[in-house]
Amino acid sequence: MEFVAGAFELKASAGNFLASVSNSGLKSAAIMLPTVAQSVVESGGATQVFGIIGNHSLSNIPHAKLQGWCNKLQPVQEAANCKGWNHVICSSLHLLHNRTHLAAEASINIQPHTVKSFGTQPSLQCCGSRGQSSWRTWELFAAAAAQEGIGPIEEQPLNVDDDDTGNGNLAQHWQKTKRDYSDGELEGKMLAAVDMGTNSFHMVVVQADKQGQFRLVDTAKENVRLGTGSPDINIITQDAEERALAVMKHFKQLATTRNAEMRIVATSAVREARNKHAFVRRMREVAGVDIEVLSGQEEACLIYQGVLQALPVYDNTVLVVDIGGGSTEFVLGKAGKPLYATSLKLGHIRLSAQFLDLGRSKEELKKEQIEELRRHIQSVLADSGVIENVKKTQFEIAIGSSGTIESVEHMIHNHTAATGSADQSHTLDSSTLTVREFNAEELGVVVKKVCKAKTVEQRMKIPGLPERRADVIVAGAILLEEIFLAIGIQKMKVSPFALREGVIVDTLAQSVVNYTPGVNIRHTSVINLAKKFNTDQRMRSAQHSAKLAKEILEGLQKCSTAGTDCLSDVVLLLEEGDIELLEAATTLHFVGMFINHNSYHKHSHYLIKNSEHLLGFSPLEIEILALLARYHRKKVPSLKDEDFATLPEEIQNKVQAMCAVMRIAVALDRCVTNSIEHVHVFQRPDSVTLAVVPAVDSTGALRDVSLEVWAAHSELPYFEKIFKRRPTIMIADEDDLQAMNTDPVSFSLSS
């Protein structure tokens, strides 16, 4: 097998060639690597594209067919000569394997003279140029190619003098980073990520463990308005540069204080600036920081990774929309893999400057301006291919991130709270329990409200709108509404995480073996919080009680006879998600001991309710977790408690049922020894039997669980009150379970 590079000419100037060649049609049976690496070089005044593919030569493919493949794929990034090295875009490396997509994005360099036949031992010789993020993609690329029998793919270190990314020998740097972290130094390591946005700069500082899980330690945000002062965000003005330098000096000082390794990414304002190289160089020389300038697709993919750390949508096909100051990113993803990603030059600062007299605060908003703005947005969306690409893949959930969408959400919920028009399935009785989502109708109401406010001063008075966004919210809100209309979005969830958290994930992905971030963020965040407050090693006992609680609740959802006649009415209210909440609350019930053993259930309530580390849970779910921890001992839920009383009646009933189960499950490990192996539930229309199976000790004898059973007996009266069944507890062995019919005909609500 021989790798052959084919070349063909396109009439495009160097630095503006936008294309991605796919050979997905070359082999229909055996799925090959469909994306072709390209190098833009100047040769005889023409632009040539060198493609490298396994088993095929591009020179054998008709030019018209190659051109057709180019036209079908979304252009991804300008390719340009950089310091004598030719920029290569490996865009959207779609490797179809078992009908699934492996999607990634990389930027690599290939020397023109190496683009030729590689001999009888096939290999691809590539050199990184984009930064550490490319090397994670490079691993995926190499693994995917090897999976299809293509390769080996060899890493060729590239020493770049005065490289604008400031990364130098990337291959050596990446290998060093991996070696350092694999020695165990990742445990407790502090990492800082900075998002240099067109509107504002954001920094997060996190502490990571050796599994790659992280917790938030510190945040910082400054409005820099890097994109203001130039007609089309194509120049970073001196004033904007000075503001950026001042902020980055402070951010670096904060990172240094935290002993955090710092990674800085820049987006639209720097990406599009004609003086970006000078800006990056000055940031390095004056502020002492290296900046990684992201392509639009890279930005979109990192935003998706950030969102996965905040919302439990890993297994869903999601559409993520992120409206920034200079651009809007769209990404479709599932199971951590981007299926489609792009960036459009539609941002609230850009649009405000072009159509709404940004910077002239006393100017009144005119109807003609709004109409022209809408026409422009509609035109860009229609010509971009976003609508068609998104509609081709049916997404299950739409998610919005970053400041504009968060501001819209705040305005919506302030409006519904003030008017009392909130849908109870959407917003709950307490404003603190508001679900972070909104629908198209609510968005329309807020857009009319911001457009009705003719001046910046009037918009600054809108409840829920930060004053600093009053001059750009009109463009941002209208843009979001047009996206809703064009794509047909009916409802959108809001993510508190975005690009900066995605940068943290990408950084950790380079260092942790088999790292799969976002797979189960709710469970992971619960475990992380439990570890943080693992006083007297109570976490192991709490997790065991959580397992017993799950067994009891699942058992209560089954009848010994066909049908549901023996199920309590309250059990019929419980859903599969409630079992997850019960497990989480039981796992965390002990955390208040970190403060004081006395009244530790109250301390647990406070810590859970005010924790920033419970990711993927809605405010209502966090309130439920906190209340379950509060009531797992001592007093039971009561309407005298304001927090409990503000819950809707159905939620109150659920909390009472889960609390009754949790109190028994915690009591069944009273001695913190995990002496009870399992709990089996046998119920009739008027009774429930909890058969506890003792664990076996090192001698093979059953453990003594009399103290655990005694403790659980004291919780039975409340259980009977809630479930309206007479409960009993018995100690059983395998023979007893068989005699009691351990596999009854059952009806399970969670199946």
Side-chain angles (χ1 to χ4, degrees), residues 413 415-417 419-428 442:
H413 289 301
H415 175 78
T416 54
T419 60
S421 60
D423 181 350
Q424 287 300 304
S425 66
H426 174 78
T427 307
L428 301 170
E442 292 168 325

Side-chain angles (χ1 to χ4, degrees), residues 662-681:
M662 182 175 171
R663 292 172 76 99
I664 291 176
V666 172
L668 286 176
D669 200 35
R670 177 69 176 79
C671 298
V672 197
T673 56
N674 296 6
S675 293
I676 292 178
E677 188 71 29
H678 295 291
V679 180
H680 294 268
V681 179

Side-chain angles (χ1 to χ4, degrees), residues 518-703:
V519 175
N520 193 341
I521 57 169
R522 286 157 67 104
H523 175 73
T524 300
S525 64
V526 167
I527 296 302
N528 285 344
L529 187 60
K531 286 180 179 178
K532 182 178 181 181
F533 299 112
N534 190 14
T535 303
D536 299 328
Q537 302 302 306
R538 290 295 295 265
M539 179 178 166
R540 179 171 174 267
S541 171
Q543 287 180 294
H544 185 70
S545 293
K547 186 196 81 165
L548 299 181
K550 180 181 180 181
E551 290 179 350
I552 295 171
L553 192 54
E554 288 181 336
L556 290 171
Q557 294 178 335
K558 298 177 181 179
C559 261
S560 296
T561 59
T564 62
D565 59 303
C566 68
L567 298 183
S568 171
D569 290 341
V570 71
V571 168
L572 297 174
L573 293 175
L574 299 172
E575 301 169 332
E576 187 171 3
D578 297 318
I579 295 179
E580 182 188 7
L581 292 178
L582 175 61
E583 285 187 279
T586 309
T587 301
L588 295 173
H589 78 272
F590 71 93
V591 296
M593 292 182 182
F594 183 84
I595 298 175
N596 196 313
H597 192 280
N598 292 331
S599 299
Y600 77 85
H601 54 296
K602 295 180 181 179
H603 302 315
S604 295
H605 174 268
Y606 177 84
L607 290 174
I608 294 170
K609 186 172 182 177
N610 294 281
S611 173
E612 296 179 343
H613 307 303
L614 287 175
L615 305 177
F617 293 96
S618 70
L620 172 62
E621 289 172 327
I622 291 177
E623 183 71 18
I624 291 172
L625 296 180
L627 287 172
L628 288 174
R630 165 68 178 83
Y631 293 124
H632 85 272
R633 67 192 291 261
K634 303 291 185 179
K635 293 182 179 179
V636 297
S638 169
L639 293 177
K640 294 180 181 179
D641 181 349
E642 183 179 353
D643 289 341
F644 179 74
T646 56
L647 298 175
E649 183 178 357
E650 181 177 330
I651 303 298
Q652 290 178 358
N653 292 335
K654 286 187 175 188
V655 169
Q656 289 174 324
M658 288 188 283
C659 181
V661 172
M662 182 175 171
R663 292 172 76 99
I664 291 176
V666 172
L668 286 176
D669 200 35
R670 177 69 176 79
C671 298
V672 197
T673 56
N674 296 6
S675 293
I676 292 178
E677 188 71 29
H678 295 291
V679 180
H680 294 268
V681 179
F682 302 93
Q683 60 179 330
R684 301 293 180 185
D686 61 346
S687 66
V688 175
T689 299
L690 304 179
V692 300
V693 180
V696 178
D697 64 19
S698 58
T699 67
L702 295 178
R703 291 186 178 180

